[in-house]
Amino acid sequence: MGVPGTGEIYMPPGERDAILAKVETCDQDAEAARQSGNQHDLLVQLETALHLRRKLYQEASQEVSGACRRLCEAYNYAATMQLQQEKLKEAHDLLKRAEQVADRSDVDRAITWNNMACYYRRTNKLRTAVTFLERALAIEEHTGNSDAAQTHLNLCATLSQLKRHGEALQHAQSAVIRIYEILAPQLFNGDFAPEETTDESREQFTVLCIAYHNLAVEHEHLKNLEGAACAYAEGFKWASKFLGESHQLVAILRHAADSVKGKL
């Protein structure tokens, strides 16, 4: 039974105080585990804290929702670490647990499904990976999430592996558009000076250049060499200006552009 307007579940004051004290201890221990990089202890404490909060608060309360978000983030981070170490079963188990606590947050679902797609790409289940990426993209496009460009690129790469190059091309084009939408206001205002590029904007320009590279590759697959040459050249232009001549993408795009020009 809830207490009207509070999100709290009624229980005797003494019992509530005892559980609140346990919650505070769990939160402190979780932060200590986070600081020390102990992923196992962090997950245990976050899981316990969520369990305790569900005794105190209704499921739709901010307390429970916040605990779900923190646990989902930790599950996803731990899963990506397991993927990097090729511990695929452990990664999948963590992602399934993340799904269970992500059901109230669009952002959490999109992140979890993107990571699920990474898992299925690693296990060569490409069609399943596409399904999870499309689910994530539907949320990101609806919410205006800036991660949509990266998801379009992941779809482009996965569809290309499936030899569905027409669809892959469309996602590469969409990635370019999404990044331009993010960068356009500052570009039009003249806020970007190549020598003063921030880490965040460098990351966005990197995604833009990768999108142009992938767009060009798909044009090549579809035998459109002129389209490929234009995309490589455009990517090279942005990479040279905002990433610097020493960045690996500059050399990759220059070499690819020269190679395609030689075939025209």
Side-chain angles (χ1 to χ4, degrees):
M1 180 178 177
V3 179
T6 66
E8 295 181 0
I9 296 172
Y10 175 77
M11 63 176 56
E15 187 178 345
R16 170 171 289 278
D17 290 343
I19 297 177
L20 281 169
K22 290 180 182 178
V23 169
E24 184 176 357
T25 299
C26 279
D27 289 348
Q28 291 171 350
D29 290 346
E31 185 55 33
R34 191 191 309 278
Q35 294 292 336
S36 65
N38 189 328
Q39 285 297 309
H40 177 267
D41 283 0
L42 174 61
L43 292 176
V44 168
Q45 296 303 327
L46 290 174
E47 287 168 346
T48 304
L50 174 59
H51 174 71
L52 292 170
R53 281 183 166 89
R54 280 175 163 156
K55 291 184 176 182
L56 296 169
Y57 304 99
Q58 296 172 16
E59 197 65 22
S61 67
Q62 289 186 356
E63 283 285 342
V64 172
S65 296
C68 285
R69 284 195 300 273
R70 291 188 290 275
L71 182 54
C72 188
E73 180 183 358
Y75 279 146
N76 273 286
Y77 179 80
T80 58
M81 293 299 101
Q82 297 297 320
L83 281 174
Q84 289 176 13
Q85 298 169 33
E86 298 297 325
K87 296 179 179 178
L88 301 181
K89 182 183 183 303
E90 293 87 343
H92 188 249
D93 289 345
L94 286 163
L95 290 170
K96 293 299 289 183
R97 287 152 74 181
E99 272 194 305
Q100 293 172 1
V101 293
D103 59 345
R104 281 183 179 76
S105 167
D106 285 341
V107 172
D108 289 345
R109 280 201 299 274
I111 291 170
T112 302
W113 288 339
N114 263 303
N115 287 330
M116 273 290 196
C118 289
Y119 164 78
Y120 283 112
R121 285 184 71 188
R122 289 288 184 89
T123 56
N124 206 35
K125 296 178 180 177
L126 300 179
R127 288 177 178 80
T128 305
V130 168
T131 298
F132 276 103
L133 287 168
E134 287 175 341
R135 289 184 191 173
L137 183 62
I139 289 174
E140 291 165 349
E141 295 282 20
H142 178 70
T143 59
N145 192 315
S146 61
D147 289 336
Q150 187 61 61
T151 304
H152 276 298
L153 288 180
N154 290 337
L155 271 164
C156 172
T158 309
L159 289 164
S160 188
Q161 285 180 271
L162 288 166
K163 303 193 183 307
R164 291 159 59 179
H165 297 298
E167 294 169 77
L169 179 77
Q170 290 175 1
H171 282 290
Q173 290 171 329
S174 294
V176 170
I177 292 168
R178 292 293 173 267
I179 287 295
Y180 270 129
E181 287 174 347
I182 294 169
L183 294 172
Q186 292 157 290
L187 287 168
F188 289 147
N189 291 337
D191 293 343
F192 284 127
E195 67 279 4
E196 298 174 2
T197 307
T198 65
D199 289 344
E200 182 181 2
S201 58
R202 275 178 65 85
E203 182 177 343
Q204 290 165 345
F205 281 116
T206 300
V207 173
L208 177 63
C209 295
I210 292 170
Y212 271 120
H213 176 272
N214 289 13
L215 179 62
V217 168
E218 297 311 313
H219 274 306
E220 285 196 81
H221 281 302
L222 295 167
K223 311 302 182 187
N224 179 7
L225 296 184
E226 288 186 1
C230 288
Y232 281 133
E234 196 68 17
F236 174 72
K237 180 186 77 174
W238 288 104
S240 299
K241 186 171 183 179
F242 289 102
L243 301 183
E245 287 295 327
S246 62
H247 197 284
Q248 62 178 347
L249 274 171
V250 174
I252 290 170
L253 288 161
R254 179 192 290 117
H255 176 75
D258 291 342
S259 177
V260 171
K261 285 178 186 175
K263 299 174 186 177
L264 290 173

